[in-house]
């Protein structure tokens, strides 16, 4: 594989969603602003970006958007982008409204907890996703590699592959391509897909994607209240209300 030659210049954080699987907690607090053991999830993402010298940060907001403006007041380099379509489209709409910033970019979700800041290192060779090797069965998106290049991705999971996580880097060239493909899919009405579908499935053959290896403990993605309680038992009362 070639030496790493690309440097991330900016970040896009996806933070517009309703957080339906975290209700009723997310009826009053957007999921990325939920505190886990005293720290907002999105703060672990922003702190890790800053630690890696990535200070141009776009946060795409929708649900309870006013709370993000208040949150961002004392944050360095944060620019808010509003997604007016967040409640009628899938997250393809969030990247669509931020599409002018995809070149030399790292794209992340705001509702992740970053435990190892080095996984957001700005240097990279090929566009592609952070991934964890999965020996056993998973129902998450699973990639197969040959010589460091992603050859296929399964939406329904499997075993003996690389589990895709919501951290991806895009070169300037691939960013231009992704912008074009996003516009094509979104503007023709394909609004119910994840934005990741655009490169991983809709136009997969037009990209040469790699991965950045991680360990499973480097990051946590919390999907529901039960997973939140497992990390922070102070939310246990929400299990009874659900």
């Amino acid at each position: 594989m070639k030496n790493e030659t690309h440097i991330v210049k900016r970040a896009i954080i996806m933070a517009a969603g309703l957080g339906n699987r975290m209700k009723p907690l997310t009826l009053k607090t957007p999921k990325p602003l939920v505190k886990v053991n005293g720290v907002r999830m999105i703060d672990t993402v922003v702190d890790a970006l800053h630690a890696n010298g990535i200070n141009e940060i776009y946060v795409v907001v929708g649900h309870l958007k006013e709370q993000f403006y208040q949150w961002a007041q004392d944050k360095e380099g944060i620019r808010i982008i509003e997604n007016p379509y967040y409640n009628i489209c899938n997250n393809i709409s969030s990247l669509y409204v931020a599409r002018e910033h995809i070149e030399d970019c790292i794209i992340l979700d705001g509702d992740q907890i970053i435990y190892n800041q080095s996984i957001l290192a700005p240097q990279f060779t090929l566009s592609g996703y952070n991934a964890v090797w999965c020996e056993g069965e998973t129902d998450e998106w699973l990639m197969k590699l040959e010589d460091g290049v992603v050859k296929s991705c399964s939406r329904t999971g499997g075993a003996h592959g690389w589990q895709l996580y919501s951290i991806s880097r895009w070169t300037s060239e691939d960013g231009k391509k992704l912008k074009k493909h996003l516009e094509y899919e979104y503007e023709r009405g394909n609004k119910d897909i994840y934005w990741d579908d655009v490169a991983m499935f809709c136009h997969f053959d037009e990209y040469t994607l790699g991965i950045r290896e991680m360990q499973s403990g480097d990051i946590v993605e919390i999907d529901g209240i039960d997973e939140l309680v497992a990390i922070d038992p102070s939310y246990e009362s929400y299990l009874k209300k659900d």
Side-chain angles (χ1 to χ4, degrees):
M1 206 159 194
K2 294 182 295 182
N3 292 330
E4 294 180 329
T5 53
H6 302 282
I7 303 290
V8 169
K9 295 178 181 175
R10 58 193 57 86
I12 297 172
I13 300 177
M14 314 288 266
L18 292 164
N20 285 326
R21 286 179 288 181
M22 292 269 283
K23 287 181 177 177
L25 184 58
T26 49
L27 293 174
K28 293 185 177 180
T29 305
K31 187 180 173 187
L33 296 184
V34 169
K35 289 184 178 179
V36 181
N37 295 314
V39 181
R40 294 179 183 90
M41 288 191 262
I42 197 172
D43 284 342
T44 72
V45 177
V46 171
D47 289 348
L49 289 169
H50 286 164
N52 284 285
I54 303 167
N55 298 308
E56 182 184 336
I57 302 170
Y58 301 89
V59 180
V60 184
V61 303
H63 177 55
L64 300 173
K65 63 186 179 183
E66 297 81 9
Q67 294 186 33
F68 286 99
Y69 285 99
Q70 185 176 358
W71 161 80
Q73 285 178 359
D74 62 348
K75 302 290 180 186
E76 179 190 350
I78 301 290
R79 299 160 171 86
I80 302 290
I81 298 176
E82 294 188 16
N83 174 9
Y85 319 109
Y86 74 93
N87 60 345
I88 56 172
C89 302
N90 209 328
N91 78 353
I92 186 175
S93 63
S94 284
L95 195 57
Y96 179 81
V97 299
R99 65 192 184 279
E100 299 301 330
H101 310 291
I102 300 175
E103 295 178 39
D104 297 314
C105 183
I106 186 168
I107 305 172
L108 320 87
D109 285 348
D111 58 356
Q112 306 175 110
I113 304 173
I114 307 291
Y115 287 111
N116 177 1
Q117 294 182 336
S118 70
I119 65 173
L120 303 191
Q123 302 85 4
F124 68 109
T125 304
L126 295 175
S127 299
Y129 287 81
N130 280 36
V132 171
W133 175 253
C134 184
E135 188 68 27
E137 290 287 336
T138 180
D139 56 4
E140 302 290 343
W141 286 17
L142 201 69
M143 299 177 287
K144 302 290 187 181
L145 269 66
E146 289 180 19
D147 299 322
V149 174
V150 179
K151 292 299 182 182
S152 65
C153 181
S154 167
R155 293 176 198 278
T156 54
H160 309 295
W162 290 94
Q163 181 180 332
L164 180 152
Y165 278 72
S166 299
I167 300 171
S168 61
R169 294 164 181 81
W170 301 89
T171 65
S172 178
E173 180 183 354
D174 286 338
K176 290 186 179 80
K177 207 182 296 184
L178 183 55
K179 176 178 180 287
K180 180 184 73 173
H181 291 151
L182 269 170
E183 290 171 342
Y184 173 76
E185 296 299 335
Y186 189 81
E187 291 168 11
R188 76 188 185 106
N190 201 3
K191 300 178 181 180
D192 292 327
I193 62 173
Y194 294 109
W195 78 261
D196 312 88
D197 280 294
V198 174
M200 294 306 296
F201 295 103
C202 301
H203 302 274
F204 180 75
D205 292 340
E206 297 191 47
Y207 297 86
T208 301
L209 301 176
I211 66 165
R212 179 176 289 272
E213 296 182 26
M214 299 189 303
Q215 303 301 313
S216 57
D218 291 341
I219 183 174
V220 170
E221 295 179 340
I222 297 176
D223 289 326
I225 292 284
D226 54 340
E227 294 178 13
L228 175 61
V229 170
I231 297 173
D232 186 344
S234 71
Y235 289 101
E236 195 166 0
S237 62
Y238 284 93
L239 284 176
K240 297 165 187 171
K241 293 177 185 177
D242 214 8

